[in-house]
Amino acid sequence: MRMVVKLGTSVLTGGTARLDRAHLVEVVRQCARLHAEGHDVLIVSSGAVAAGREELGLAEDEHPGGIVEKQLLAAVGQPRLMRVWAQLFDLFGLHVGQVLLARDDVEDRRRFLNARDTLDALFARRIVPIVNENDAVATAEIKVGDNDNLSAYAAVLARADVLLLLTDQPGLFTADPRSDPTAELIPEVRTIDATLRKLAGGAGSAQGTGGMATKLQAADAARRSGTAVVIAAGRAHEVILRIARGETVGTRFPAVETPLANRKRWIFAGPPPAGTLVVNAGAARALRREGASLLPVGIVAIEGTFRRGDAVRIVQHDDAMDLGRGIARYDADELHRLAGHRSAAIADVLGFTLGDEAVHRDDLILV
């Protein structure tokens, strides 16, 4: 299982102006337990501005007023926040890696693949990714709900099974529980419509920027990409472990489809192919019968000009049969140089490697 855990500022600080290290240890302990059981964990961490306020000794009621002030505090607080995460995970013998993402890293296909490769490499080395946005230089990105939506992007990049949005509320209610004593927790949501959105309030606490409405946005995006989403109280007893075990906690949004099905629909129904890869009979047989990836050694010709991340046609050389479509892992000129070479020679030919495959089987659909 691969889980993305998003922690809002209110969870990280307990509603104060300082990071609550005692609670962070508890969060890390649960993540370390999942890690020890063989699961992958990615953390989307708010709190850079709060950490900057703590570093500079600002009073609890002294909040930054404008973008520049928030950027200043984020610049000071981001390294402090990462230092805290690194120290706490080190208690359990785990390494962390910082990943700063922006919206373009998801919307641009080439940058999407680069970011995904980085996360895959971290997971392969059993390193815990700590994801945040570069708030020190962002402008429009420092706004309500940014890290909620960022967590959905991270879940898509990581191909996560579960996105856990930890907040200061137990989940989504039928009304605002802070003002309506008859409000009831909604255990599961299968349809996000206008009526449900009206149940969500505005921005959250003074320390954080996200409200329940932005969590609904994040949940909708993630579940449509094949990731189940749970909104739950960040300070509930062993909330991360209980959700990983399948217990009913908070409000759950089941995935609409599998990540693989979603990605393959994009390949088949998305933009027209930018080029063609012509493969030999052995490669065609491996694709059809063995469910294999397309390796450079099986390519005999490249047609068209395309970039890494573009959709390409795959056809068989001897009869021009259309085998399918896929996402190229290398640019056209790079594949011209790699065609006919074994994967072990990629680094020697190009001076670098982006993986053994010209088209990975998860990014390929046969027709």
Side-chain angles (χ1 to χ4, degrees), residues 43 47 51 53 66 111 119 134 140 166 219 226 283 292 297 315-316 352 365:
I43 290 179
R53 184 188 299 115
R111 292 176 64 173
L119 292 179
N134 195 356
L166 294 181
V297 69
V315 301
Q316 186 168 338
F352 65 90
I365 183 168

Side-chain angles (χ1 to χ4, degrees), residues 48-72:
V49 172
R53 184 188 299 115
E54 177 181 332
E55 177 78 5
L56 297 178
L58 299 183
E60 184 172 345
D61 58 353
E62 194 174 349
H63 303 298
I67 290 293
V68 174
E69 288 79 8
K70 289 182 179 179
Q71 289 173 324
L72 180 152

Side-chain angles (χ1 to χ4, degrees), residues 154-187:
V156 173
L157 285 167
R159 290 162 288 190
D161 300 294
V162 180
L163 166 60
L164 175 53
L165 299 173
L166 294 181
T167 181
D168 54 2
Q169 295 294 319
L172 183 64
F173 284 79
T174 55
D176 189 342
R178 295 169 292 189
S179 58
D180 188 343
T182 66
E184 297 181 356
L185 180 69
I186 303 174

Side-chain angles (χ1 to χ4, degrees), residues 268 288 313-315 321-325 364-367:
F268 190 72
R288 284 203 202 98
R313 289 176 65 233
I314 302 172
V315 301
M321 179 179 293
D322 197 338
L323 296 174
R325 292 185 183 181
L364 185 151
I365 183 168
L366 300 178
V367 297

Side-chain angles (χ1 to χ4, degrees), residues 28 31-33 35-36 86 89-96 126 128:
V28 171
C31 292
R33 175 72 176 274
H35 199 274
F89 273 101
D90 185 59
L91 295 175
F92 298 88
L94 298 176
H95 296 288
V96 301
R126 305 297 288 152
V128 178

Side-chain angles (χ1 to χ4, degrees), residues 3-83:
M3 176 182 284
V4 172
V5 180
K6 186 267 177 179
L7 298 128
T9 300
S10 61
V11 176
L12 294 172
T13 64
T16 70
R18 302 177 62 85
L19 297 175
D20 185 350
R21 286 164 176 75
H23 182 63
L24 292 184
V25 170
E26 173 59 18
V27 169
V28 171
R29 181 191 67 81
Q30 295 179 61
C31 292
R33 175 72 176 274
L34 289 180
H35 199 274
E37 293 174 359
H39 304 299
D40 291 328
V41 179
L42 180 153
I43 290 179
V44 177
S45 175
S46 300
V49 172
R53 184 188 299 115
E54 177 181 332
E55 177 78 5
L56 297 178
L58 299 183
E60 184 172 345
D61 58 353
E62 194 174 349
H63 303 298
I67 290 293
V68 174
E69 288 79 8
K70 289 182 179 179
Q71 289 173 324
L72 180 152
L73 292 179
V76 173
Q78 187 63 38
R80 180 184 182 93
L81 181 64
M82 280 304 302
R83 187 164 62 250

